[in-house]
Structure formats: C-alpha cells, structure tokens
Amino acid sequence: MNFGQSILEALESLNANKLRSGLTMLGIVIGVGAVIAMLSIGAGAQSSITGSIQDIGSNLIFVGSQRSDAVRNPKPITIEDAEAIADPFQAPSVAQVAPTIQGSVEITFGGQSVTTSVTGVTANYNQVNNESLYEGEFITIEQNYERASVVILGPTTAEDLF
C-alpha cells in the first residue's frame, strides 16, 4: 500500500463516519482552546503578581509589629532603631531605611471635617516605596530635622476638604 492509497482510504473513512469525524474534530478544537485559555490566564496572573511585587518593591523588608503582637513584643521599634539599621557600618547591605507610623485622625479645615488614615514618614519614604506625587513636593530632610509641620494629602482627602 503506497502513500496515495493511504490518503484515499482515510478520506473514505472520514466520509463514511461523518458524525464521528465531526465530534472528534470538535473535541480537538475544544481541547486546544482550553489549553490556550489556561496558558493565557496563567500568564495574566503571573503578570499581575509581578506588577504587584514591583509596585511595593521586590527588595523591601518590613520590620515591625502589629498591635496584636504587643503582648509578645511590648517594646516598639524606635527612630533610633531605624537609624541603627541605616548605619552602613552596622548593616552594610541596607541601602535605605524609611520608618513609618500609622494611625487614624480627624482633619478639619474651613468647617469641613474628614476622618482619614495618617502615615508619618521620613524624607526617603517616596524613594524606598517608589511613590510619586501628582502635585507639589515631598518632605525634605531639612523638614525632618526641623520637625516641621508638613502634610501630604491624598486626592480623596484633598477633594473632601477643599
């Protein structure tokens, strides 16, 4: 049996069993489509996760405790601890340190009042966390040393107050 006869016999078999041939092709198409869909979903999830990690920084370490940990660790981390971590002689692998403290506060301006979350930061917070401002400038080192009363408002709080 040569190649031409094999092709002819296969076509006759497909023609004789049209329903079976159609269902087989449909199964192959659905299977290939499912594999392609799963690969694209996986690639999309990987891209989303990678983007989230890059947003917070892939080389960041967060040191601290939640309020629920206060029983086990009653002594909070201080600004002196942050300065010791930033010391290139004590911790040469640390590039930058940005200590923060968080809470909630009510802000009042011109008769308007807004309750919002507040984060106390230092001058290099925006560099460490890849943050940028829409308008204005970030806190400076001089303002940190002078303990100046400086605030950076988020867009929602700014709209609510002004």
Side-chain angles (χ1 to χ4, degrees), residues 118-157:
V118 175
T119 304
V121 301
T122 57
N124 59 345
Y125 177 84
N126 64 333
Q127 295 169 348
V128 171
N129 292 293
N130 296 327
E131 297 284 338
S132 60
L133 296 180
Y134 177 73
E135 187 177 330
E137 61 183 32
F138 203 76
I139 300 168
T140 64
I141 295 173
E142 291 79 20
Q143 290 168 334
N144 271 356
Y145 287 139
E146 295 168 1
R147 298 191 183 273
S149 297
V150 180
V151 66
I152 298 172
L153 294 176
T156 305
T157 305

PDB file of all heavy atoms in Angstrom, residues 118-157:
ATOM      1  N   VAL A 118      -3.598  58.151  58.562  1.00  0.00           N
ATOM      2  CA  VAL A 118      -2.430  59.014  58.524  1.00  0.00           C
ATOM      3  C   VAL A 118      -1.189  58.142  58.637  1.00  0.00           C
ATOM      4  O   VAL A 118      -1.164  57.189  59.428  1.00  0.00           O
ATOM      5  CB  VAL A 118      -2.470  60.031  59.688  1.00  0.00           C
ATOM      6  CG1 VAL A 118      -1.203  60.848  59.738  1.00  0.00           C
ATOM      7  CG2 VAL A 118      -3.673  60.917  59.577  1.00  0.00           C
ATOM      8  N   THR A 119      -0.171  58.460  57.857  1.00  0.00           N
ATOM      9  CA  THR A 119       1.107  57.765  57.926  1.00  0.00           C
ATOM     10  C   THR A 119       2.194  58.797  58.143  1.00  0.00           C
ATOM     11  O   THR A 119       2.365  59.703  57.327  1.00  0.00           O
ATOM     12  CB  THR A 119       1.386  56.981  56.629  1.00  0.00           C
ATOM     13  OG1 THR A 119       0.294  56.089  56.382  1.00  0.00           O
ATOM     14  CG2 THR A 119       2.662  56.175  56.744  1.00  0.00           C
ATOM     15  N   GLY A 120       2.911  58.673  59.248  1.00  0.00           N
ATOM     16  CA  GLY A 120       4.053  59.533  59.500  1.00  0.00           C
ATOM     17  C   GLY A 120       5.271  58.928  58.826  1.00  0.00           C
ATOM     18  O   GLY A 120       5.572  57.753  59.021  1.00  0.00           O
ATOM     19  N   VAL A 121       5.951  59.716  57.991  1.00  0.00           N
ATOM     20  CA  VAL A 121       7.066  59.201  57.198  1.00  0.00           C
ATOM     21  C   VAL A 121       8.273  60.113  57.315  1.00  0.00           C
ATOM     22  O   VAL A 121       8.181  61.219  57.831  1.00  0.00           O
ATOM     23  CB  VAL A 121       6.678  59.040  55.708  1.00  0.00           C
ATOM     24  CG1 VAL A 121       5.520  58.093  55.548  1.00  0.00           C
ATOM     25  CG2 VAL A 121       6.359  60.384  55.083  1.00  0.00           C
ATOM     26  N   THR A 122       9.388  59.642  56.788  1.00  0.00           N
ATOM     27  CA  THR A 122      10.605  60.442  56.698  1.00  0.00           C
ATOM     28  C   THR A 122      10.843  60.823  55.245  1.00  0.00           C
ATOM     29  O   THR A 122      10.107  60.405  54.355  1.00  0.00           O
ATOM     30  CB  THR A 122      11.808  59.665  57.257  1.00  0.00           C
ATOM     31  OG1 THR A 122      11.925  58.438  56.538  1.00  0.00           O
ATOM     32  CG2 THR A 122      11.637  59.391  58.737  1.00  0.00           C
ATOM     33  N   ALA A 123      11.896  61.577  55.002  1.00  0.00           N
ATOM     34  CA  ALA A 123      12.154  62.156  53.682  1.00  0.00           C
ATOM     35  C   ALA A 123      12.387  61.119  52.588  1.00  0.00           C
ATOM     36  O   ALA A 123      12.084  61.362  51.426  1.00  0.00           O
ATOM     37  CB  ALA A 123      13.337  63.108  53.751  1.00  0.00           C
ATOM     38  N   ASN A 124      12.939  59.969  52.906  1.00  0.00           N
ATOM     39  CA  ASN A 124      13.234  58.989  51.848  1.00  0.00           C
ATOM     40  C   ASN A 124      12.137  57.947  51.669  1.00  0.00           C
ATOM     41  O   ASN A 124      12.332  56.961  50.966  1.00  0.00           O
ATOM     42  CB  ASN A 124      14.582  58.324  52.096  1.00  0.00           C
ATOM     43  CG  ASN A 124      14.652  57.612  53.424  1.00  0.00           C
ATOM     44  OD1 ASN A 124      13.816  57.828  54.285  1.00  0.00           O
ATOM     45  ND2 ASN A 124      15.653  56.790  53.599  1.00  0.00           N
ATOM     46  N   TYR A 125      10.977  58.162  52.234  1.00  0.00           N
ATOM     47  CA  TYR A 125       9.857  57.224  52.084  1.00  0.00           C
ATOM     48  C   TYR A 125       9.462  57.034  50.621  1.00  0.00           C
ATOM     49  O   TYR A 125       9.238  55.924  50.173  1.00  0.00           O
ATOM     50  CB  TYR A 125       8.656  57.716  52.891  1.00  0.00           C
ATOM     51  CG  TYR A 125       7.419  56.863  52.744  1.00  0.00           C
ATOM     52  CD1 TYR A 125       7.255  55.736  53.525  1.00  0.00           C
ATOM     53  CD2 TYR A 125       6.423  57.192  51.838  1.00  0.00           C
ATOM     54  CE1 TYR A 125       6.126  54.939  53.398  1.00  0.00           C
ATOM     55  CE2 TYR A 125       5.295  56.412  51.710  1.00  0.00           C
ATOM     56  CZ  TYR A 125       5.145  55.292  52.484  1.00  0.00           C
ATOM     57  OH  TYR A 125       4.039  54.508  52.357  1.00  0.00           O
ATOM     58  N   ASN A 126       9.389  58.140  49.876  1.00  0.00           N
ATOM     59  CA  ASN A 126       8.972  58.035  48.471  1.00  0.00           C
ATOM     60  C   ASN A 126       9.985  57.274  47.624  1.00  0.00           C
ATOM     61  O   ASN A 126       9.614  56.575  46.685  1.00  0.00           O
ATOM     62  CB  ASN A 126       8.689  59.418  47.876  1.00  0.00           C
ATOM     63  CG  ASN A 126       9.914  60.294  47.824  1.00  0.00           C
ATOM     64  OD1 ASN A 126      10.839  60.151  48.621  1.00  0.00           O
ATOM     65  ND2 ASN A 126       9.926  61.237  46.902  1.00  0.00           N
ATOM     66  N   GLN A 127      11.273  57.369  47.938  1.00  0.00           N
ATOM     67  CA  GLN A 127      12.287  56.625  47.181  1.00  0.00           C
ATOM     68  C   GLN A 127      12.224  55.135  47.502  1.00  0.00           C
ATOM     69  O   GLN A 127      12.308  54.293  46.610  1.00  0.00           O
ATOM     70  CB  GLN A 127      13.679  57.158  47.493  1.00  0.00           C
ATOM     71  CG  GLN A 127      13.892  58.575  47.037  1.00  0.00           C
ATOM     72  CD  GLN A 127      15.191  59.150  47.593  1.00  0.00           C
ATOM     73  OE1 GLN A 127      15.808  58.579  48.469  1.00  0.00           O
ATOM     74  NE2 GLN A 127      15.582  60.298  47.055  1.00  0.00           N
ATOM     75  N   VAL A 128      12.082  54.801  48.772  1.00  0.00           N
ATOM     76  CA  VAL A 128      12.066  53.403  49.181  1.00  0.00           C
ATOM     77  C   VAL A 128      10.827  52.697  48.654  1.00  0.00           C
ATOM     78  O   VAL A 128      10.889  51.538  48.226  1.00  0.00           O
ATOM     79  CB  VAL A 128      12.135  53.289  50.727  1.00  0.00           C
ATOM     80  CG1 VAL A 128      11.896  51.869  51.191  1.00  0.00           C
ATOM     81  CG2 VAL A 128      13.479  53.793  51.226  1.00  0.00           C
ATOM     82  N   ASN A 129       9.684  53.385  48.648  1.00  0.00           N
ATOM     83  CA  ASN A 129       8.419  52.764  48.264  1.00  0.00           C
ATOM     84  C   ASN A 129       7.976  53.087  46.844  1.00  0.00           C
ATOM     85  O   ASN A 129       6.835  52.813  46.476  1.00  0.00           O
ATOM     86  CB  ASN A 129       7.328  53.178  49.250  1.00  0.00           C
ATOM     87  CG  ASN A 129       7.571  52.582  50.611  1.00  0.00           C
ATOM     88  OD1 ASN A 129       7.496  51.379  50.781  1.00  0.00           O
ATOM     89  ND2 ASN A 129       7.888  53.421  51.577  1.00  0.00           N
ATOM     90  N   ASN A 130       8.842  53.676  46.039  1.00  0.00           N
ATOM     91  CA  ASN A 130       8.525  54.016  44.645  1.00  0.00           C
ATOM     92  C   ASN A 130       7.259  54.865  44.545  1.00  0.00           C
ATOM     93  O   ASN A 130       6.398  54.625  43.711  1.00  0.00           O
ATOM     94  CB  ASN A 130       8.377  52.751  43.782  1.00  0.00           C
ATOM     95  CG  ASN A 130       9.646  51.973  43.688  1.00  0.00           C
ATOM     96  OD1 ASN A 130      10.733  52.536  43.691  1.00  0.00           O
ATOM     97  ND2 ASN A 130       9.524  50.658  43.612  1.00  0.00           N
ATOM     98  N   GLU A 131       7.127  55.847  45.417  1.00  0.00           N
ATOM     99  CA  GLU A 131       5.965  56.733  45.429  1.00  0.00           C
ATOM    100  C   GLU A 131       6.287  58.002  44.645  1.00  0.00           C
ATOM    101  O   GLU A 131       7.424  58.441  44.604  1.00  0.00           O
ATOM    102  CB  GLU A 131       5.593  57.123  46.866  1.00  0.00           C
ATOM    103  CG  GLU A 131       5.169  55.968  47.731  1.00  0.00           C
ATOM    104  CD  GLU A 131       3.780  55.473  47.447  1.00  0.00           C
ATOM    105  OE1 GLU A 131       2.969  56.238  46.891  1.00  0.00           O
ATOM    106  OE2 GLU A 131       3.506  54.308  47.768  1.00  0.00           O
ATOM    107  N   SER A 132       5.274  58.576  44.057  1.00  0.00           N
ATOM    108  CA  SER A 132       5.445  59.858  43.383  1.00  0.00           C
ATOM    109  C   SER A 132       4.217  60.707  43.676  1.00  0.00           C
ATOM    110  O   SER A 132       3.139  60.194  43.945  1.00  0.00           O
ATOM    111  CB  SER A 132       5.624  59.672  41.876  1.00  0.00           C
ATOM    112  OG  SER A 132       4.487  59.040  41.335  1.00  0.00           O
ATOM    113  N   LEU A 133       4.397  62.008  43.617  1.00  0.00           N
ATOM    114  CA  LEU A 133       3.313  62.940  43.899  1.00  0.00           C
ATOM    115  C   LEU A 133       2.704  63.449  42.606  1.00  0.00           C
ATOM    116  O   LEU A 133       3.399  63.660  41.610  1.00  0.00           O
ATOM    117  CB  LEU A 133       3.822  64.124  44.718  1.00  0.00           C
ATOM    118  CG  LEU A 133       4.354  63.825  46.109  1.00  0.00           C
ATOM    119  CD1 LEU A 133       4.826  65.105  46.774  1.00  0.00           C
ATOM    120  CD2 LEU A 133       3.294  63.161  46.956  1.00  0.00           C
ATOM    121  N   TYR A 134       1.413  63.671  42.640  1.00  0.00           N
ATOM    122  CA  TYR A 134       0.716  64.240  41.492  1.00  0.00           C
ATOM    123  C   TYR A 134       1.048  65.717  41.364  1.00  0.00           C
ATOM    124  O   TYR A 134       1.221  66.240  40.275  1.00  0.00           O
ATOM    125  CB  TYR A 134      -0.792  64.028  41.648  1.00  0.00           C
ATOM    126  CG  TYR A 134      -1.618  64.639  40.554  1.00  0.00           C
ATOM    127  CD1 TYR A 134      -1.639  64.072  39.286  1.00  0.00           C
ATOM    128  CD2 TYR A 134      -2.372  65.775  40.780  1.00  0.00           C
ATOM    129  CE1 TYR A 134      -2.385  64.641  38.273  1.00  0.00           C
ATOM    130  CE2 TYR A 134      -3.123  66.346  39.782  1.00  0.00           C
ATOM    131  CZ  TYR A 134      -3.128  65.765  38.530  1.00  0.00           C
ATOM    132  OH  TYR A 134      -3.873  66.328  37.522  1.00  0.00           O
ATOM    133  N   GLU A 135       1.160  66.373  42.523  1.00  0.00           N
ATOM    134  CA  GLU A 135       1.407  67.809  42.523  1.00  0.00           C
ATOM    135  C   GLU A 135       2.175  68.161  43.789  1.00  0.00           C
ATOM    136  O   GLU A 135       1.979  67.562  44.841  1.00  0.00           O
ATOM    137  CB  GLU A 135       0.064  68.554  42.505  1.00  0.00           C
ATOM    138  CG  GLU A 135       0.156  70.036  42.337  1.00  0.00           C
ATOM    139  CD  GLU A 135      -1.230  70.664  42.253  1.00  0.00           C
ATOM    140  OE1 GLU A 135      -2.159  70.008  41.773  1.00  0.00           O
ATOM    141  OE2 GLU A 135      -1.348  71.822  42.687  1.00  0.00           O
ATOM    142  N   GLY A 136       3.076  69.118  43.722  1.00  0.00           N
ATOM    143  CA  GLY A 136       3.827  69.567  44.879  1.00  0.00           C
ATOM    144  C   GLY A 136       5.129  68.808  45.035  1.00  0.00           C
ATOM    145  O   GLY A 136       5.612  68.167  44.115  1.00  0.00           O
ATOM    146  N   GLU A 137       5.715  68.924  46.238  1.00  0.00           N
ATOM    147  CA  GLU A 137       6.985  68.255  46.502  1.00  0.00           C
ATOM    148  C   GLU A 137       6.879  67.430  47.774  1.00  0.00           C
ATOM    149  O   GLU A 137       6.035  67.678  48.628  1.00  0.00           O
ATOM    150  CB  GLU A 137       8.124  69.263  46.610  1.00  0.00           C
ATOM    151  CG  GLU A 137       7.955  70.267  47.732  1.00  0.00           C
ATOM    152  CD  GLU A 137       9.073  71.295  47.760  1.00  0.00           C
ATOM    153  OE1 GLU A 137       9.596  71.635  46.678  1.00  0.00           O
ATOM    154  OE2 GLU A 137       9.415  71.742  48.858  1.00  0.00           O
ATOM    155  N   PHE A 138       7.760  66.454  47.881  1.00  0.00           N
ATOM    156  CA  PHE A 138       7.733  65.556  49.024  1.00  0.00           C
ATOM    157  C   PHE A 138       8.470  66.189  50.205  1.00  0.00           C
ATOM    158  O   PHE A 138       9.142  67.209  50.068  1.00  0.00           O
ATOM    159  CB  PHE A 138       8.376  64.207  48.644  1.00  0.00           C
ATOM    160  CG  PHE A 138       7.925  63.082  49.515  1.00  0.00           C
ATOM    161  CD1 PHE A 138       6.668  62.518  49.341  1.00  0.00           C
ATOM    162  CD2 PHE A 138       8.732  62.590  50.521  1.00  0.00           C
ATOM    163  CE1 PHE A 138       6.239  61.488  50.148  1.00  0.00           C
ATOM    164  CE2 PHE A 138       8.306  61.564  51.334  1.00  0.00           C
ATOM    165  CZ  PHE A 138       7.056  61.010  51.148  1.00  0.00           C
ATOM    166  N   ILE A 139       8.363  65.574  51.357  1.00  0.00           N
ATOM    167  CA  ILE A 139       9.022  66.037  52.571  1.00  0.00           C
ATOM    168  C   ILE A 139      10.537  66.011  52.360  1.00  0.00           C
ATOM    169  O   ILE A 139      11.075  65.078  51.771  1.00  0.00           O
ATOM    170  CB  ILE A 139       8.637  65.129  53.750  1.00  0.00           C
ATOM    171  CG1 ILE A 139       7.133  65.173  53.964  1.00  0.00           C
ATOM    172  CG2 ILE A 139       9.377  65.504  55.014  1.00  0.00           C
ATOM    173  CD1 ILE A 139       6.616  64.107  54.890  1.00  0.00           C
ATOM    174  N   THR A 140      11.232  67.036  52.865  1.00  0.00           N
ATOM    175  CA  THR A 140      12.687  67.103  52.716  1.00  0.00           C
ATOM    176  C   THR A 140      13.377  66.692  54.014  1.00  0.00           C
ATOM    177  O   THR A 140      12.753  66.653  55.081  1.00  0.00           O
ATOM    178  CB  THR A 140      13.129  68.534  52.343  1.00  0.00           C
ATOM    179  OG1 THR A 140      12.805  69.411  53.429  1.00  0.00           O
ATOM    180  CG2 THR A 140      12.468  69.002  51.061  1.00  0.00           C
ATOM    181  N   ILE A 141      14.658  66.432  53.915  1.00  0.00           N
ATOM    182  CA  ILE A 141      15.447  66.062  55.094  1.00  0.00           C
ATOM    183  C   ILE A 141      15.476  67.225  56.094  1.00  0.00           C
ATOM    184  O   ILE A 141      15.385  67.015  57.304  1.00  0.00           O
ATOM    185  CB  ILE A 141      16.875  65.648  54.673  1.00  0.00           C
ATOM    186  CG1 ILE A 141      16.817  64.374  53.841  1.00  0.00           C
ATOM    187  CG2 ILE A 141      17.770  65.465  55.886  1.00  0.00           C
ATOM    188  CD1 ILE A 141      18.138  63.967  53.233  1.00  0.00           C
ATOM    189  N   GLU A 142      15.576  68.448  55.570  1.00  0.00           N
ATOM    190  CA  GLU A 142      15.589  69.623  56.449  1.00  0.00           C
ATOM    191  C   GLU A 142      14.301  69.712  57.252  1.00  0.00           C
ATOM    192  O   GLU A 142      14.310  70.034  58.442  1.00  0.00           O
ATOM    193  CB  GLU A 142      15.786  70.915  55.632  1.00  0.00           C
ATOM    194  CG  GLU A 142      17.155  71.063  55.018  1.00  0.00           C
ATOM    195  CD  GLU A 142      17.326  70.242  53.743  1.00  0.00           C
ATOM    196  OE1 GLU A 142      16.316  69.855  53.116  1.00  0.00           O
ATOM    197  OE2 GLU A 142      18.488  69.969  53.382  1.00  0.00           O
ATOM    198  N   GLN A 143      13.172  69.446  56.612  1.00  0.00           N
ATOM    199  CA  GLN A 143      11.893  69.479  57.317  1.00  0.00           C
ATOM    200  C   GLN A 143      11.843  68.397  58.394  1.00  0.00           C
ATOM    201  O   GLN A 143      11.256  68.608  59.457  1.00  0.00           O
ATOM    202  CB  GLN A 143      10.741  69.312  56.328  1.00  0.00           C
ATOM    203  CG  GLN A 143      10.564  70.511  55.435  1.00  0.00           C
ATOM    204  CD  GLN A 143       9.627  70.241  54.278  1.00  0.00           C
ATOM    205  OE1 GLN A 143       9.468  69.107  53.842  1.00  0.00           O
ATOM    206  NE2 GLN A 143       9.007  71.304  53.772  1.00  0.00           N
ATOM    207  N   ASN A 144      12.460  67.250  58.126  1.00  0.00           N
ATOM    208  CA  ASN A 144      12.533  66.203  59.150  1.00  0.00           C
ATOM    209  C   ASN A 144      13.340  66.675  60.349  1.00  0.00           C
ATOM    210  O   ASN A 144      12.916  66.507  61.492  1.00  0.00           O
ATOM    211  CB  ASN A 144      13.174  64.934  58.586  1.00  0.00           C
ATOM    212  CG  ASN A 144      12.178  64.007  57.960  1.00  0.00           C
ATOM    213  OD1 ASN A 144      10.980  64.233  57.994  1.00  0.00           O
ATOM    214  ND2 ASN A 144      12.667  62.944  57.358  1.00  0.00           N
ATOM    215  N   TYR A 145      14.514  67.253  60.095  1.00  0.00           N
ATOM    216  CA  TYR A 145      15.373  67.712  61.187  1.00  0.00           C
ATOM    217  C   TYR A 145      14.714  68.832  61.994  1.00  0.00           C
ATOM    218  O   TYR A 145      14.859  68.903  63.205  1.00  0.00           O
ATOM    219  CB  TYR A 145      16.728  68.168  60.665  1.00  0.00           C
ATOM    220  CG  TYR A 145      17.621  67.043  60.215  1.00  0.00           C
ATOM    221  CD1 TYR A 145      18.379  67.152  59.067  1.00  0.00           C
ATOM    222  CD2 TYR A 145      17.707  65.862  60.939  1.00  0.00           C
ATOM    223  CE1 TYR A 145      19.197  66.116  58.644  1.00  0.00           C
ATOM    224  CE2 TYR A 145      18.519  64.828  60.533  1.00  0.00           C
ATOM    225  CZ  TYR A 145      19.256  64.959  59.383  1.00  0.00           C
ATOM    226  OH  TYR A 145      20.062  63.923  58.978  1.00  0.00           O
ATOM    227  N   GLU A 146      14.019  69.724  61.303  1.00  0.00           N
ATOM    228  CA  GLU A 146      13.351  70.838  61.967  1.00  0.00           C
ATOM    229  C   GLU A 146      12.035  70.429  62.617  1.00  0.00           C
ATOM    230  O   GLU A 146      11.408  71.242  63.299  1.00  0.00           O
ATOM    231  CB  GLU A 146      13.086  71.958  60.951  1.00  0.00           C
ATOM    232  CG  GLU A 146      14.333  72.581  60.386  1.00  0.00           C
ATOM    233  CD  GLU A 146      14.036  73.478  59.185  1.00  0.00           C
ATOM    234  OE1 GLU A 146      12.853  73.630  58.805  1.00  0.00           O
ATOM    235  OE2 GLU A 146      14.994  74.025  58.627  1.00  0.00           O
ATOM    236  N   ARG A 147      11.606  69.186  62.351  1.00  0.00           N
ATOM    237  CA  ARG A 147      10.305  68.702  62.829  1.00  0.00           C
ATOM    238  C   ARG A 147       9.187  69.648  62.389  1.00  0.00           C
ATOM    239  O   ARG A 147       8.299  70.011  63.155  1.00  0.00           O
ATOM    240  CB  ARG A 147      10.295  68.493  64.327  1.00  0.00           C
ATOM    241  CG  ARG A 147      11.279  67.453  64.790  1.00  0.00           C
ATOM    242  CD  ARG A 147      11.055  67.091  66.235  1.00  0.00           C
ATOM    243  NE  ARG A 147      12.041  66.139  66.714  1.00  0.00           N
ATOM    244  CZ  ARG A 147      11.947  64.826  66.601  1.00  0.00           C
ATOM    245  NH1 ARG A 147      10.922  64.289  65.994  1.00  0.00           N
ATOM    246  NH2 ARG A 147      12.891  64.049  67.091  1.00  0.00           N
ATOM    247  N   ALA A 148       9.263  70.050  61.125  1.00  0.00           N
ATOM    248  CA  ALA A 148       8.289  70.975  60.555  1.00  0.00           C
ATOM    249  C   ALA A 148       6.929  70.291  60.415  1.00  0.00           C
ATOM    250  O   ALA A 148       6.842  69.080  60.209  1.00  0.00           O
ATOM    251  CB  ALA A 148       8.766  71.459  59.186  1.00  0.00           C
ATOM    252  N   SER A 149       5.886  71.080  60.511  1.00  0.00           N
ATOM    253  CA  SER A 149       4.524  70.573  60.343  1.00  0.00           C
ATOM    254  C   SER A 149       4.201  70.554  58.856  1.00  0.00           C
ATOM    255  O   SER A 149       3.773  71.555  58.282  1.00  0.00           O
ATOM    256  CB  SER A 149       3.531  71.448  61.093  1.00  0.00           C
ATOM    257  OG  SER A 149       3.797  71.417  62.475  1.00  0.00           O
ATOM    258  N   VAL A 150       4.429  69.418  58.230  1.00  0.00           N
ATOM    259  CA  VAL A 150       4.227  69.259  56.795  1.00  0.00           C
ATOM    260  C   VAL A 150       3.242  68.125  56.584  1.00  0.00           C
ATOM    261  O   VAL A 150       3.290  67.115  57.285  1.00  0.00           O
ATOM    262  CB  VAL A 150       5.559  68.928  56.089  1.00  0.00           C
ATOM    263  CG1 VAL A 150       5.350  68.752  54.600  1.00  0.00           C
ATOM    264  CG2 VAL A 150       6.580  70.004  56.350  1.00  0.00           C
ATOM    265  N   VAL A 151       2.362  68.293  55.605  1.00  0.00           N
ATOM    266  CA  VAL A 151       1.395  67.241  55.316  1.00  0.00           C
ATOM    267  C   VAL A 151       1.293  67.049  53.806  1.00  0.00           C
ATOM    268  O   VAL A 151       1.430  68.000  53.043  1.00  0.00           O
ATOM    269  CB  VAL A 151       0.004  67.572  55.923  1.00  0.00           C
ATOM    270  CG1 VAL A 151      -0.611  68.775  55.250  1.00  0.00           C
ATOM    271  CG2 VAL A 151      -0.924  66.381  55.849  1.00  0.00           C
ATOM    272  N   ILE A 152       1.111  65.820  53.413  1.00  0.00           N
ATOM    273  CA  ILE A 152       0.842  65.487  52.013  1.00  0.00           C
ATOM    274  C   ILE A 152      -0.530  64.828  51.999  1.00  0.00           C
ATOM    275  O   ILE A 152      -0.736  63.804  52.640  1.00  0.00           O
ATOM    276  CB  ILE A 152       1.906  64.529  51.445  1.00  0.00           C
ATOM    277  CG1 ILE A 152       3.266  65.215  51.478  1.00  0.00           C
ATOM    278  CG2 ILE A 152       1.535  64.111  50.036  1.00  0.00           C
ATOM    279  CD1 ILE A 152       4.411  64.308  51.130  1.00  0.00           C
ATOM    280  N   LEU A 153      -1.457  65.449  51.284  1.00  0.00           N
ATOM    281  CA  LEU A 153      -2.827  64.941  51.252  1.00  0.00           C
ATOM    282  C   LEU A 153      -3.041  64.035  50.051  1.00  0.00           C
ATOM    283  O   LEU A 153      -2.543  64.303  48.963  1.00  0.00           O
ATOM    284  CB  LEU A 153      -3.823  66.101  51.166  1.00  0.00           C
ATOM    285  CG  LEU A 153      -3.906  67.026  52.359  1.00  0.00           C
ATOM    286  CD1 LEU A 153      -4.871  68.168  52.065  1.00  0.00           C
ATOM    287  CD2 LEU A 153      -4.322  66.274  53.597  1.00  0.00           C
ATOM    288  N   GLY A 154      -3.801  62.983  50.265  1.00  0.00           N
ATOM    289  CA  GLY A 154      -4.228  62.143  49.158  1.00  0.00           C
ATOM    290  C   GLY A 154      -5.334  62.848  48.378  1.00  0.00           C
ATOM    291  O   GLY A 154      -5.948  63.805  48.866  1.00  0.00           O
ATOM    292  N   PRO A 155      -5.613  62.397  47.174  1.00  0.00           N
ATOM    293  CA  PRO A 155      -6.586  63.094  46.330  1.00  0.00           C
ATOM    294  C   PRO A 155      -8.004  63.112  46.919  1.00  0.00           C
ATOM    295  O   PRO A 155      -8.713  64.107  46.826  1.00  0.00           O
ATOM    296  CB  PRO A 155      -6.550  62.341  45.004  1.00  0.00           C
ATOM    297  CG  PRO A 155      -5.886  61.049  45.300  1.00  0.00           C
ATOM    298  CD  PRO A 155      -5.016  61.256  46.497  1.00  0.00           C
ATOM    299  N   THR A 156      -8.424  62.031  47.551  1.00  0.00           N
ATOM    300  CA  THR A 156      -9.778  61.978  48.115  1.00  0.00           C
ATOM    301  C   THR A 156      -9.921  62.957  49.271  1.00  0.00           C
ATOM    302  O   THR A 156     -10.896  63.703  49.354  1.00  0.00           O
ATOM    303  CB  THR A 156     -10.092  60.544  48.588  1.00  0.00           C
ATOM    304  OG1 THR A 156      -9.891  59.647  47.513  1.00  0.00           O
ATOM    305  CG2 THR A 156     -11.513  60.440  49.080  1.00  0.00           C
ATOM    306  N   THR A 157      -8.937  62.963  50.173  1.00  0.00           N
ATOM    307  CA  THR A 157      -8.973  63.888  51.312  1.00  0.00           C
ATOM    308  C   THR A 157      -8.910  65.330  50.834  1.00  0.00           C
ATOM    309  O   THR A 157      -9.636  66.193  51.343  1.00  0.00           O
ATOM    310  CB  THR A 157      -7.813  63.585  52.273  1.00  0.00           C
ATOM    311  OG1 THR A 157      -7.868  62.223  52.661  1.00  0.00           O
ATOM    312  CG2 THR A 157      -7.870  64.465  53.496  1.00  0.00           C
TER     313      THR A 157
END
